[in-house]
């Protein structure tokens, strides 16, 4: 916008146009007027740049560095993690191949995992580690920081975070190994893919998996009967239903994963205990386990 002036301080002068500038030098800058022609009186020197300018540049530089480092970190960590737990800094599993023999025992709730594992312990000298039992013991241990968390997960029929379960199993295996044991049946584990991957990366490779197949109605009947005397908070119809659903959704992918590797032996468990055990012994014999 231009303003025409014909007189300046009472003297004639050639017409001048003064440019009105609305540009601001910063949030706190005042409006400035810039003449298009020089006058006899030199214009005052421009005001020094606002002090906030240098600070703003510094902040911009710091921000750019932060963004750059974030982008670089994301590019460096481009690959997806293989398991949910990564803070353990070690070059490989705690036990190299051949040091120990680990057999996973999987099956729906009430399929007979514990019963068959107890028979194998008696006749073949395995150490039986039940993931559920370890969690319940930890839940009851005085001063446990995981006690309440474990209790809530078990009651809801959910899978306890694998950081807790894997840590308890690793401790139990190392304690038994220190006493000379090298053969382990791990009952009710792994129940999720992250558990399977973390265990094999952090502790030891499994030899194979015993998978006990059993109709849901048979398992339900067994669990309700057991609930009369077990005292377990999850042996009730509500928790059992949730456990069945959780097993199908999260544990069956684990079975399928190991089956693709040729590391699953399936056993039909809707038969008498001794008949099932004969199947188990024959399966182990085929794998060279005596």
């Amino acid at each position: 916008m231009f303003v025409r002036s014909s007189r300046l301080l009472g003297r004639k002068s050639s017409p001048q146009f003064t440019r009105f500038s609305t540009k601001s030098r910063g949030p706190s800058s005042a409006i400035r007027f810039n003449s298009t022609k020089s006058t006899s009186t030199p214009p005052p020197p421009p005001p020094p740049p606002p002090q906030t300018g240098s600070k703003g540049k510094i902040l911009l530089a710091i921000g750019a560095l932060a963004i750059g480092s974030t982008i670089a970190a994301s590019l460096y960590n481009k690959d997806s993690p293989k398991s949910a737990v990564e803070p353990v800094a070690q070059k490989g599993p705690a036990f190299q191949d051949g040091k120990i023999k680990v057999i996973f025992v999987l099956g729906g709730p009430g399929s007979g995992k514990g019963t068959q594992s107890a028979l194998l312990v008696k006749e073949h000298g395995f150490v039986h580690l039940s993931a559920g039992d370890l969690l319940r013991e930890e839940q009851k241990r005085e001063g446990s920081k995981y006690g309440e968390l474990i209790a809530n997960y078990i009651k809801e029929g959910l899978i306890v975070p694998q950081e807790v379960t894997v840590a308890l199993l690793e401790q139990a295996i190392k304690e038994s190994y220190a006493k000379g044991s090298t053969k382990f049946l791990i009952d009710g584990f792994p129940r999720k893919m992250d558990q399977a991957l973390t265990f094999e990366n952090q502790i030891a490779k499994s030899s194979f998996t015993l998978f006990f197949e059993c109709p849901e109605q048979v398992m339900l009947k067994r669990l309700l009967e057991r609930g009369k005397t077990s005292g377990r908070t999850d042996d009730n119809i509500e928790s059992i239903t949730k456990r069945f659903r959780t097993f199908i959704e999260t544990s069956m992918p684990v079975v399928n994963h190991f089956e693709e590797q040729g590391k699953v032996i399936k056993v039909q468990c809707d038969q008498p205990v001794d008949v099932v055990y004969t199947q188990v012994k024959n399966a182990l014999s085929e794998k060279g386990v005596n």
Side-chain angles (χ1 to χ4, degrees), residues 7-85:
R7 291 182 179 275
L8 181 63
L9 299 177
R11 291 183 302 167
K12 282 187 176 182
S13 62
S14 57
Q16 299 182 55
F17 293 88
T18 303
R19 184 183 301 275
F20 177 80
S21 172
T22 58
K23 288 187 177 180
S24 173
R25 295 281 179 170
S28 60
S29 301
I31 298 174
R32 295 185 61 195
F33 296 84
N34 299 319
S35 175
T36 57
K37 286 190 176 183
S38 62
T39 62
S40 58
T41 304
Q51 292 298 319
T52 55
S54 60
K55 292 182 180 178
K57 290 179 181 179
I58 294 173
L59 290 174
L60 285 173
I62 294 174
L65 287 172
I67 293 171
S69 62
T70 301
I71 293 174
S74 65
L75 292 174
Y76 181 78
N77 296 317
K78 188 176 180 181
D79 294 336
S80 300
K82 298 253 191 279
S83 62
V85 176

Side-chain angles (χ1 to χ4, degrees), residues 185-198:
L185 289 173
I186 302 185
D187 164 10
F189 181 94
R191 295 182 63 192
K192 288 179 68 178
M193 279 303 302
D194 62 348
Q195 291 182 347
L197 295 170
T198 298

Side-chain angles (χ1 to χ4, degrees), residues 17-248:
F17 293 88
T18 303
R19 184 183 301 275
F20 177 80
S21 172
T22 58
K23 288 187 177 180
S24 173
R25 295 281 179 170
S28 60
S29 301
I31 298 174
R32 295 185 61 195
F33 296 84
N34 299 319
S35 175
T36 57
K37 286 190 176 183
S38 62
T39 62
S40 58
T41 304
Q51 292 298 319
T52 55
S54 60
K55 292 182 180 178
K57 290 179 181 179
I58 294 173
L59 290 174
L60 285 173
I62 294 174
L65 287 172
I67 293 171
S69 62
T70 301
I71 293 174
S74 65
L75 292 174
Y76 181 78
N77 296 317
K78 188 176 180 181
D79 294 336
S80 300
K82 298 253 191 279
S83 62
V85 176
E86 297 181 336
V88 179
Q90 57 186 33
K91 296 180 180 179
F95 298 94
Q96 298 302 316
D97 292 349
K99 286 287 186 181
I100 62 175
K101 182 178 290 293
V102 173
I103 299 174
F104 293 143
V105 183
L106 291 177
S111 60
K113 300 184 298 295
T115 300
Q116 296 298 321
S117 294
L119 293 172
L120 288 173
V121 168
K122 183 178 179 180
E123 292 191 13
H124 292 269
F126 279 93
V127 173
H128 176 214
L129 298 176
S130 166
D133 288 348
L134 289 173
L135 289 169
R136 281 183 284 274
E137 288 173 9
E138 178 65 19
Q139 173 193 335
K140 296 174 182 177
R141 185 175 64 82
E142 186 177 354
S144 171
K145 62 180 180 180
Y146 300 118
E148 185 176 353
L149 177 145
I150 293 171
N152 290 334
Y153 272 78
I154 290 177
K155 183 178 179 181
E156 293 300 319
L158 301 175
I159 296 175
V160 175
Q162 59 121 10
E163 294 90 339
V164 179
T165 311
V166 171
L168 292 173
L169 284 170
E170 182 172 8
Q171 178 180 333
I173 290 172
K174 287 182 175 179
E175 288 176 356
S176 295
Y177 182 78
K179 298 175 183 177
S181 299
T182 59
K183 297 194 300 182
F184 298 90
L185 289 173
I186 302 185
D187 164 10
F189 181 94
R191 295 182 63 192
K192 288 179 68 178
M193 279 303 302
D194 62 348
Q195 291 182 347
L197 295 170
T198 298
F199 184 94
E200 295 207 328
N201 288 335
Q202 183 174 319
I203 302 176
K205 298 291 184 184
S206 64
S207 298
F208 56 89
T209 297
L210 274 175
F211 176 47
F212 291 162
E213 294 183 304
C214 193
E216 191 170 298
Q217 287 303 316
V218 174
M219 293 189 290
L220 177 61
K221 182 179 178 181
R222 290 175 179 174
L223 291 171
L224 291 176
E225 184 64 29
R226 185 179 72 182
K228 296 177 181 179
T229 57
S230 69
R232 287 176 48 167
T233 58
D234 57 347
D235 276 347
N236 60 77
I237 189 66
E238 183 180 356
S239 293
I240 291 168
T241 302
K242 292 177 181 178
R243 290 161 65 194
F244 284 158
R245 184 170 62 250
T246 299
F247 180 80
I248 294 297

